[in-house]
Each structure stands twice: as C-alpha cells, then as structure tokens.
Amino acid sequence: MSQEQWSAVDRYLTDTLVPSDAALDAALAASAAAGLPPINVAPNQGKLLHLLARIQGARTILEIGTLGGYSTIWLARALPAVGRLITLESEPKHAEVARANLDRAGLANIVELRLGRALDTLPKLAAEGRGPFDLIFIDADKPSNPDYFAWALKLSRRGSVIVIDNVVRKGAIIDPESADPSVQGVRRLNKLLATERRVSATAIQTVGSKGYDGLAIVLVTEGP
Ligand code: SAM
C-alpha cells in the first residue's frame, strides 16, 4: 500500500460520503492562501469528529489547536443553537485566518477563539469556571499532550469524550528511545491513559490523504 493509494481511497470516500461544502472549501482555500501549513484534519476525519460530537449529544466543545478553523467548523456544526465551542490557538496569524473562516461559516456566535499558549489559556478557562465540556479535541503541539490531557480531564465530567489526534506518527511511537519530542509526548500520554483510573481509552492507526497516523478516543468514566 502506498501514499498514492491511501489518497485515492480517501478521495473516493470523501467524494462519496462527504459532500463538498462552500464554507469548508473556502476555509481551506483561505488557509492555503494565507500560507498556513496544510495540517488540518482531512474532510472524512472532520466528518468523523462531527459525527462523534452528534453521537455524544455535545452542547459544549473544547478544541486545543485551531489552525485555520477547519476542524472547528466541523465540530461547531454538530452543536445545537445554544451550544458553545471554545478553541485555543497560539499563533496570531492562524487565529486571524480562523476568525475570518468562522465568520464566513456563520459560526462566530457559537465559537469563541482564545489566542495564547494553551498551557496559559487552559488555567484561565478553569479559573473562570468554564466547562465541563462534553467533547474535547486535542490537536496542538504534541510534546504537550500529557499536560493537555491532564487539563482536559479537569475540564470534563463523567461521560465526556476526549479525542487526541496524531498519536501514531508513522509508527514511530513504538520506539522508546526516539529523540522526537512529539513521539515522547504521545508515549507519555499513552502511559497516562493506561494508568488513569477515571478514563477508558483506546487508540487506532489510520491511513489516508494525511499519511499514516492515528487517533486516541477516551471516555471519562468517573467525575462530577
Ligand atoms: N485542529 C486543526 C484542524 O484540524 O483544522 C489543526 C490544528 S494544527 C495540527 C495545530 C495548531 O496548534 C496550529 O495552528 C498551532 O499553531 C497550534 N499550536 C501549537 N502550539 C500551541 C500551543 N502551545 N497553544 C495553542 N495552540 C498551539
């Protein structure tokens, strides 16, 4: 199997199951035009997040890592009119592009974008009494994944779902000696997921237009 074949199958699945959408297409075009890196989730992955949020009946969502707001749009569209999504982004340029994309998608009233390093903005959210969130999507700098998971757990309730992207890293996660801080971040995260008694978690490998990677899904089983 090759990247070419994974991309062709992703194209087929997306053409068949994920109809083209003006706001989402415009968000990707504006992100590319502004020079943002193409590290957003793929369309069929965006729809997976959207469906997970709907299956969960989510009314509140927290996203760590906005980029141009592509996954944000997918997630926010799963919310009812009274729903709320808070997304955290550290790069001012990414935040500016995301705000315009969210405006164009008609989601400015539902989505609150907080600019700053997530390890600074997360404690502020907690201090403001925000949360618990029904669904939390972690997709920012991977070395901080263990810290993001700890914050996600603090901002959860029993029944919250936490999704963490890019947890396989082309298979590099099986190397305990890896010098890659992202690989070490994922390995430390997995240790936490395995030992934290308040959650039940799994992870799967994925292939597609975004290459070979994976996704962890966590259910919070204890808490308020
Ligand atoms: N979730 C987005 C999507 O699928 O459309 C992609 C997010 S991209 C993989 C990761 C984003 O996290 C980047 O925009 C990056 O600037 C942001 N980021 C990196 N470090 C961060 C930090 N410490 N705090 C907040 N955001 C951060």
Side-chain angles (χ1 to χ4, degrees):
M1 291 283 278
S2 63
Q3 179 59 57
E4 201 182 325
Q5 190 170 10
W6 297 338
S7 295
V9 173
D10 249 7
R11 262 197 307 281
Y12 161 75
L13 293 174
T14 299
D15 289 348
T16 310
L17 299 172
V18 190
S20 127
D21 175 286
L24 285 164
D25 293 347
L28 289 183
S31 300
L36 268 53
I39 52 174
N40 51 278
V41 294
N44 49 350
Q45 294 171 333
K47 188 157 181 187
L48 173 67
L49 293 172
H50 172 87
L51 291 174
L52 282 174
R54 285 177 61 185
I55 291 164
Q56 159 75 336
R59 296 165 77 88
T60 53
I61 297 177
L62 173 65
E63 177 181 62
I64 307 176
T66 318
L67 191 65
Y70 184 73
S71 55
T72 322
I73 295 173
W74 274 112
L75 285 166
R77 282 181 171 177
L79 289 169
V82 294
R84 194 85 176 146
L85 185 153
I86 299 181
T87 184
L88 311 180
E89 174 56 54
S90 60
E91 284 293 327
K93 183 175 166 192
H94 298 183
E96 186 189 326
V97 173
R99 284 201 171 102
N101 286 337
L102 291 161
D103 262 355
R104 195 186 303 106
L107 293 165
N109 291 338
I110 287 185
V111 178
E112 187 184 331
L113 191 158
R114 297 215 176 178
L115 179 60
R117 290 176 59 250
L119 288 178
D120 297 328
T121 47
L122 285 162
K124 286 184 191 144
L125 282 183
E128 290 167 21
R130 303 301 291 266
F133 295 91
D134 302 321
L135 186 141
I136 300 174
F137 179 44
I138 301 178
D139 188 21
D141 55 311
K142 313 307 170 184
S144 301
N145 270 349
D147 299 316
Y148 294 150
F149 171 68
W151 276 108
L153 201 49
K154 276 187 199 137
L155 293 165
S156 289
R157 58 167 172 82
R158 182 156 43 94
S160 291
V161 171
I162 302 170
V163 181
I164 306 146
D165 200 11
N166 308 122
V167 298
V168 169
R169 317 208 62 79
K170 296 189 170 80
I173 51 150
I174 59 172
D175 177 8
E177 310 304 330
S178 171
D180 180 341
S182 295
V183 169
Q184 290 303 337
V186 173
R187 287 183 63 88
R188 287 203 312 280
L189 167 74
N190 283 333
K191 208 170 262 178
L192 285 176
L193 295 180
T195 53
E196 171 55 65
R197 62 173 174 73
R198 291 170 290 174
V199 304
S200 179
T202 190
I204 55 162
Q205 304 181 71
T206 57
V207 292
S209 60
K210 297 289 169 175
Y212 166 36
D213 213 320
L215 201 65
I217 300 199
V218 184
L219 176 67
V220 179
T221 52
E222 281 181 42

PDB file of all heavy atoms in Angstrom, residues 39-41 63 65-67 70-71 88-91 94 116-118 137 139-141 148, ligand 1:
ATOM      1  N   ILE A  39      -2.030  21.178   7.727  1.00  0.00           N
ATOM      2  CA  ILE A  39      -2.012  20.121   8.750  1.00  0.00           C
ATOM      3  C   ILE A  39      -3.365  20.001   9.443  1.00  0.00           C
ATOM      4  O   ILE A  39      -3.460  19.478  10.544  1.00  0.00           O
ATOM      5  CB  ILE A  39      -0.871  20.360   9.773  1.00  0.00           C
ATOM      6  CG1 ILE A  39      -0.934  21.793  10.334  1.00  0.00           C
ATOM      7  CG2 ILE A  39       0.485  20.083   9.155  1.00  0.00           C
ATOM      8  CD1 ILE A  39       0.074  22.063  11.464  1.00  0.00           C
ATOM      9  N   ASN A  40      -4.411  20.512   8.765  1.00  0.00           N
ATOM     10  CA  ASN A  40      -5.782  20.313   9.244  1.00  0.00           C
ATOM     11  C   ASN A  40      -6.171  18.845   9.057  1.00  0.00           C
ATOM     12  O   ASN A  40      -5.546  18.123   8.277  1.00  0.00           O
ATOM     13  CB  ASN A  40      -6.736  21.196   8.421  1.00  0.00           C
ATOM     14  CG  ASN A  40      -6.508  21.001   6.927  1.00  0.00           C
ATOM     15  OD1 ASN A  40      -5.578  21.609   6.376  1.00  0.00           O
ATOM     16  ND2 ASN A  40      -7.276  20.143   6.290  1.00  0.00           N
ATOM     17  N   VAL A  41      -7.210  18.427   9.761  1.00  0.00           N
ATOM     18  CA  VAL A  41      -7.726  17.074   9.550  1.00  0.00           C
ATOM     19  C   VAL A  41      -8.270  16.969   8.118  1.00  0.00           C
ATOM     20  O   VAL A  41      -8.650  17.978   7.508  1.00  0.00           O
ATOM     21  CB  VAL A  41      -8.850  16.709  10.562  1.00  0.00           C
ATOM     22  CG1 VAL A  41      -8.314  16.643  11.973  1.00  0.00           C
ATOM     23  CG2 VAL A  41     -10.035  17.683  10.468  1.00  0.00           C
ATOM     24  N   GLU A  63     -11.627  22.803  21.943  1.00  0.00           N
ATOM     25  CA  GLU A  63     -10.633  22.360  20.969  1.00  0.00           C
ATOM     26  C   GLU A  63      -9.292  23.007  21.308  1.00  0.00           C
ATOM     27  O   GLU A  63      -9.234  24.221  21.516  1.00  0.00           O
ATOM     28  CB  GLU A  63     -11.068  22.765  19.560  1.00  0.00           C
ATOM     29  CG  GLU A  63     -10.042  22.407  18.482  1.00  0.00           C
ATOM     30  CD  GLU A  63     -10.488  22.848  17.089  1.00  0.00           C
ATOM     31  OE1 GLU A  63     -10.663  24.067  16.865  1.00  0.00           O
ATOM     32  OE2 GLU A  63     -10.672  21.973  16.236  1.00  0.00           O
ATOM     33  N   GLY A  65      -5.886  23.744  19.600  1.00  0.00           N
ATOM     34  CA  GLY A  65      -5.227  23.733  18.288  1.00  0.00           C
ATOM     35  C   GLY A  65      -6.211  24.045  17.179  1.00  0.00           C
ATOM     36  O   GLY A  65      -6.871  23.158  16.647  1.00  0.00           O
ATOM     37  N   THR A  66      -6.319  25.336  16.810  1.00  0.00           N
ATOM     38  CA  THR A  66      -7.342  25.786  15.860  1.00  0.00           C
ATOM     39  C   THR A  66      -6.865  25.764  14.423  1.00  0.00           C
ATOM     40  O   THR A  66      -7.627  25.427  13.515  1.00  0.00           O
ATOM     41  CB  THR A  66      -7.745  27.261  16.182  1.00  0.00           C
ATOM     42  OG1 THR A  66      -7.871  27.442  17.583  1.00  0.00           O
ATOM     43  CG2 THR A  66      -9.015  27.650  15.468  1.00  0.00           C
ATOM     44  N   LEU A  67      -5.627  26.177  14.193  1.00  0.00           N
ATOM     45  CA  LEU A  67      -5.087  26.438  12.848  1.00  0.00           C
ATOM     46  C   LEU A  67      -6.053  27.402  12.133  1.00  0.00           C
ATOM     47  O   LEU A  67      -6.345  28.466  12.660  1.00  0.00           O
ATOM     48  CB  LEU A  67      -4.872  25.115  12.102  1.00  0.00           C
ATOM     49  CG  LEU A  67      -4.058  25.201  10.788  1.00  0.00           C
ATOM     50  CD1 LEU A  67      -2.618  25.626  11.058  1.00  0.00           C
ATOM     51  CD2 LEU A  67      -4.068  23.865  10.045  1.00  0.00           C
ATOM     52  N   TYR A  70     -10.612  24.729  10.441  1.00  0.00           N
ATOM     53  CA  TYR A  70     -11.303  23.713   9.627  1.00  0.00           C
ATOM     54  C   TYR A  70     -12.013  22.678  10.508  1.00  0.00           C
ATOM     55  O   TYR A  70     -13.220  22.465  10.383  1.00  0.00           O
ATOM     56  CB  TYR A  70     -10.302  23.044   8.679  1.00  0.00           C
ATOM     57  CG  TYR A  70     -10.945  22.059   7.737  1.00  0.00           C
ATOM     58  CD1 TYR A  70     -11.714  22.498   6.669  1.00  0.00           C
ATOM     59  CD2 TYR A  70     -10.807  20.685   7.925  1.00  0.00           C
ATOM     60  CE1 TYR A  70     -12.321  21.591   5.799  1.00  0.00           C
ATOM     61  CE2 TYR A  70     -11.407  19.772   7.063  1.00  0.00           C
ATOM     62  CZ  TYR A  70     -12.160  20.232   6.000  1.00  0.00           C
ATOM     63  OH  TYR A  70     -12.765  19.322   5.152  1.00  0.00           O
ATOM     64  N   SER A  71     -11.258  22.060  11.437  1.00  0.00           N
ATOM     65  CA  SER A  71     -11.920  21.095  12.339  1.00  0.00           C
ATOM     66  C   SER A  71     -12.921  21.809  13.241  1.00  0.00           C
ATOM     67  O   SER A  71     -13.945  21.236  13.638  1.00  0.00           O
ATOM     68  CB  SER A  71     -10.880  20.350  13.187  1.00  0.00           C
ATOM     69  OG  SER A  71     -10.052  21.264  13.891  1.00  0.00           O
ATOM     70  N   LEU A  88      -8.584  26.995  21.157  1.00  0.00           N
ATOM     71  CA  LEU A  88      -7.369  27.643  21.665  1.00  0.00           C
ATOM     72  C   LEU A  88      -6.268  27.612  20.603  1.00  0.00           C
ATOM     73  O   LEU A  88      -5.981  26.548  20.029  1.00  0.00           O
ATOM     74  CB  LEU A  88      -6.883  26.909  22.919  1.00  0.00           C
ATOM     75  CG  LEU A  88      -7.937  26.634  24.004  1.00  0.00           C
ATOM     76  CD1 LEU A  88      -7.289  25.889  25.175  1.00  0.00           C
ATOM     77  CD2 LEU A  88      -8.601  27.916  24.475  1.00  0.00           C
ATOM     78  N   GLU A  89      -5.672  28.760  20.353  1.00  0.00           N
ATOM     79  CA  GLU A  89      -4.632  28.857  19.325  1.00  0.00           C
ATOM     80  C   GLU A  89      -3.558  29.840  19.771  1.00  0.00           C
ATOM     81  O   GLU A  89      -3.865  30.912  20.279  1.00  0.00           O
ATOM     82  CB  GLU A  89      -5.269  29.312  17.997  1.00  0.00           C
ATOM     83  CG  GLU A  89      -4.302  29.588  16.865  1.00  0.00           C
ATOM     84  CD  GLU A  89      -3.385  28.411  16.523  1.00  0.00           C
ATOM     85  OE1 GLU A  89      -3.885  27.311  16.279  1.00  0.00           O
ATOM     86  OE2 GLU A  89      -2.142  28.602  16.528  1.00  0.00           O
ATOM     87  N   SER A  90      -2.285  29.483  19.534  1.00  0.00           N
ATOM     88  CA  SER A  90      -1.184  30.348  19.999  1.00  0.00           C
ATOM     89  C   SER A  90      -0.652  31.286  18.919  1.00  0.00           C
ATOM     90  O   SER A  90       0.004  32.274  19.230  1.00  0.00           O
ATOM     91  CB  SER A  90      -0.039  29.482  20.528  1.00  0.00           C
ATOM     92  OG  SER A  90       0.431  28.638  19.506  1.00  0.00           O
ATOM     93  N   GLU A  91      -0.910  30.977  17.640  1.00  0.00           N
ATOM     94  CA  GLU A  91      -0.337  31.781  16.547  1.00  0.00           C
ATOM     95  C   GLU A  91      -1.326  32.858  16.104  1.00  0.00           C
ATOM     96  O   GLU A  91      -2.396  32.533  15.571  1.00  0.00           O
ATOM     97  CB  GLU A  91      -0.026  30.887  15.341  1.00  0.00           C
ATOM     98  CG  GLU A  91       1.203  30.031  15.498  1.00  0.00           C
ATOM     99  CD  GLU A  91       2.475  30.856  15.551  1.00  0.00           C
ATOM    100  OE1 GLU A  91       2.527  31.914  14.892  1.00  0.00           O
ATOM    101  OE2 GLU A  91       3.394  30.457  16.277  1.00  0.00           O
ATOM    102  N   HIS A  94      -2.694  32.404  12.536  1.00  0.00           N
ATOM    103  CA  HIS A  94      -3.659  31.312  12.421  1.00  0.00           C
ATOM    104  C   HIS A  94      -5.012  31.754  12.975  1.00  0.00           C
ATOM    105  O   HIS A  94      -6.063  31.485  12.385  1.00  0.00           O
ATOM    106  CB  HIS A  94      -3.167  30.073  13.178  1.00  0.00           C
ATOM    107  CG  HIS A  94      -1.884  29.500  12.648  1.00  0.00           C
ATOM    108  ND1 HIS A  94      -1.318  28.355  13.153  1.00  0.00           N
ATOM    109  CD2 HIS A  94      -1.071  29.916  11.643  1.00  0.00           C
ATOM    110  CE1 HIS A  94      -0.194  28.093  12.494  1.00  0.00           C
ATOM    111  NE2 HIS A  94      -0.026  29.029  11.585  1.00  0.00           N
ATOM    112  N   GLY A 116      -3.440  32.498  22.511  1.00  0.00           N
ATOM    113  CA  GLY A 116      -2.436  32.359  23.568  1.00  0.00           C
ATOM    114  C   GLY A 116      -1.973  30.916  23.643  1.00  0.00           C
ATOM    115  O   GLY A 116      -2.591  30.032  23.045  1.00  0.00           O
ATOM    116  N   ARG A 117      -0.883  30.677  24.346  1.00  0.00           N
ATOM    117  CA  ARG A 117      -0.424  29.296  24.533  1.00  0.00           C
ATOM    118  C   ARG A 117      -1.466  28.556  25.359  1.00  0.00           C
ATOM    119  O   ARG A 117      -1.927  29.063  26.400  1.00  0.00           O
ATOM    120  CB  ARG A 117       0.923  29.276  25.259  1.00  0.00           C
ATOM    121  CG  ARG A 117       2.093  29.788  24.405  1.00  0.00           C
ATOM    122  CD  ARG A 117       3.383  29.831  25.196  1.00  0.00           C
ATOM    123  NE  ARG A 117       3.758  28.523  25.706  1.00  0.00           N
ATOM    124  CZ  ARG A 117       3.724  28.174  26.994  1.00  0.00           C
ATOM    125  NH1 ARG A 117       3.353  29.033  27.922  1.00  0.00           N
ATOM    126  NH2 ARG A 117       4.086  26.973  27.363  1.00  0.00           N
ATOM    127  N   ALA A 118      -1.828  27.363  24.904  1.00  0.00           N
ATOM    128  CA  ALA A 118      -2.917  26.646  25.570  1.00  0.00           C
ATOM    129  C   ALA A 118      -2.600  26.395  27.050  1.00  0.00           C
ATOM    130  O   ALA A 118      -3.521  26.402  27.883  1.00  0.00           O
ATOM    131  CB  ALA A 118      -3.198  25.334  24.848  1.00  0.00           C
ATOM    132  N   PHE A 137     -11.251  18.101  21.885  1.00  0.00           N
ATOM    133  CA  PHE A 137     -10.397  17.644  20.788  1.00  0.00           C
ATOM    134  C   PHE A 137      -9.003  18.233  20.980  1.00  0.00           C
ATOM    135  O   PHE A 137      -8.841  19.458  20.979  1.00  0.00           O
ATOM    136  CB  PHE A 137     -10.995  18.080  19.446  1.00  0.00           C
ATOM    137  CG  PHE A 137     -10.174  17.680  18.247  1.00  0.00           C
ATOM    138  CD1 PHE A 137      -9.623  16.403  18.131  1.00  0.00           C
ATOM    139  CD2 PHE A 137      -9.965  18.575  17.199  1.00  0.00           C
ATOM    140  CE1 PHE A 137      -8.870  16.040  17.011  1.00  0.00           C
ATOM    141  CE2 PHE A 137      -9.224  18.216  16.081  1.00  0.00           C
ATOM    142  CZ  PHE A 137      -8.681  16.949  15.985  1.00  0.00           C
ATOM    143  N   ASP A 139      -5.375  18.787  19.542  1.00  0.00           N
ATOM    144  CA  ASP A 139      -4.686  18.743  18.246  1.00  0.00           C
ATOM    145  C   ASP A 139      -3.733  19.941  18.129  1.00  0.00           C
ATOM    146  O   ASP A 139      -3.811  20.712  17.181  1.00  0.00           O
ATOM    147  CB  ASP A 139      -5.733  18.758  17.108  1.00  0.00           C
ATOM    148  CG  ASP A 139      -5.107  18.511  15.741  1.00  0.00           C
ATOM    149  OD1 ASP A 139      -3.995  17.950  15.686  1.00  0.00           O
ATOM    150  OD2 ASP A 139      -5.735  18.876  14.730  1.00  0.00           O
ATOM    151  N   ALA A 140      -2.851  20.104  19.111  1.00  0.00           N
ATOM    152  CA  ALA A 140      -1.901  21.229  19.069  1.00  0.00           C
ATOM    153  C   ALA A 140      -0.474  20.664  19.064  1.00  0.00           C
ATOM    154  O   ALA A 140      -0.200  19.695  18.367  1.00  0.00           O
ATOM    155  CB  ALA A 140      -2.155  22.175  20.238  1.00  0.00           C
ATOM    156  N   ASP A 141       0.445  21.265  19.815  1.00  0.00           N
ATOM    157  CA  ASP A 141       1.832  20.772  19.855  1.00  0.00           C
ATOM    158  C   ASP A 141       1.867  19.454  20.635  1.00  0.00           C
ATOM    159  O   ASP A 141       1.398  19.374  21.766  1.00  0.00           O
ATOM    160  CB  ASP A 141       2.740  21.832  20.489  1.00  0.00           C
ATOM    161  CG  ASP A 141       2.252  22.262  21.860  1.00  0.00           C
ATOM    162  OD1 ASP A 141       1.056  22.573  21.990  1.00  0.00           O
ATOM    163  OD2 ASP A 141       3.060  22.255  22.802  1.00  0.00           O
ATOM    164  N   TYR A 148      -2.005  18.570  28.187  1.00  0.00           N
ATOM    165  CA  TYR A 148      -3.341  18.854  27.645  1.00  0.00           C
ATOM    166  C   TYR A 148      -4.352  17.811  28.138  1.00  0.00           C
ATOM    167  O   TYR A 148      -5.496  18.139  28.450  1.00  0.00           O
ATOM    168  CB  TYR A 148      -3.318  18.881  26.110  1.00  0.00           C
ATOM    169  CG  TYR A 148      -2.503  20.016  25.540  1.00  0.00           C
ATOM    170  CD1 TYR A 148      -1.855  19.909  24.323  1.00  0.00           C
ATOM    171  CD2 TYR A 148      -2.384  21.223  26.232  1.00  0.00           C
ATOM    172  CE1 TYR A 148      -1.106  20.947  23.813  1.00  0.00           C
ATOM    173  CE2 TYR A 148      -1.629  22.271  25.716  1.00  0.00           C
ATOM    174  CZ  TYR A 148      -0.999  22.125  24.510  1.00  0.00           C
ATOM    175  OH  TYR A 148      -0.257  23.166  24.008  1.00  0.00           O
TER     176      TYR A 148
HETATM  177  N1  SAM B   1      -7.315  21.236  14.520  1.00  0.00           N
HETATM  178  C1  SAM B   1      -6.856  21.892  13.298  1.00  0.00           C
HETATM  179  C2  SAM B   1      -7.610  21.325  12.121  1.00  0.00           C
HETATM  180  O1  SAM B   1      -7.682  20.089  12.009  1.00  0.00           O
HETATM  181  O2  SAM B   1      -8.120  22.116  11.306  1.00  0.00           O
HETATM  182  C3  SAM B   1      -5.375  21.688  13.094  1.00  0.00           C
HETATM  183  C4  SAM B   1      -4.537  22.151  14.233  1.00  0.00           C
HETATM  184  S1  SAM B   1      -2.811  22.143  13.835  1.00  0.00           S
HETATM  185  C5  SAM B   1      -2.451  20.444  13.733  1.00  0.00           C
HETATM  186  C6  SAM B   1      -2.099  22.602  15.368  1.00  0.00           C
HETATM  187  C7  SAM B   1      -2.337  24.038  15.765  1.00  0.00           C
HETATM  188  O3  SAM B   1      -1.959  24.157  17.140  1.00  0.00           O
HETATM  189  C8  SAM B   1      -1.517  25.057  14.993  1.00  0.00           C
HETATM  190  O4  SAM B   1      -2.337  26.072  14.483  1.00  0.00           O
HETATM  191  C9  SAM B   1      -0.559  25.618  16.031  1.00  0.00           C
HETATM  192  O5  SAM B   1      -0.258  26.990  15.843  1.00  0.00           O
HETATM  193  C10 SAM B   1      -1.345  25.407  17.316  1.00  0.00           C
HETATM  194  N2  SAM B   1      -0.483  25.346  18.498  1.00  0.00           N
HETATM  195  C11 SAM B   1       0.792  24.896  18.591  1.00  0.00           C
HETATM  196  N3  SAM B   1       1.258  25.031  19.839  1.00  0.00           N
HETATM  197  C12 SAM B   1       0.247  25.580  20.555  1.00  0.00           C
HETATM  198  C13 SAM B   1       0.118  25.974  21.906  1.00  0.00           C
HETATM  199  N4  SAM B   1       1.126  25.830  22.782  1.00  0.00           N
HETATM  200  N5  SAM B   1      -1.047  26.505  22.308  1.00  0.00           N
HETATM  201  C14 SAM B   1      -2.079  26.652  21.439  1.00  0.00           C
HETATM  202  N6  SAM B   1      -2.015  26.304  20.140  1.00  0.00           N
HETATM  203  C15 SAM B   1      -0.859  25.780  19.705  1.00  0.00           C
END
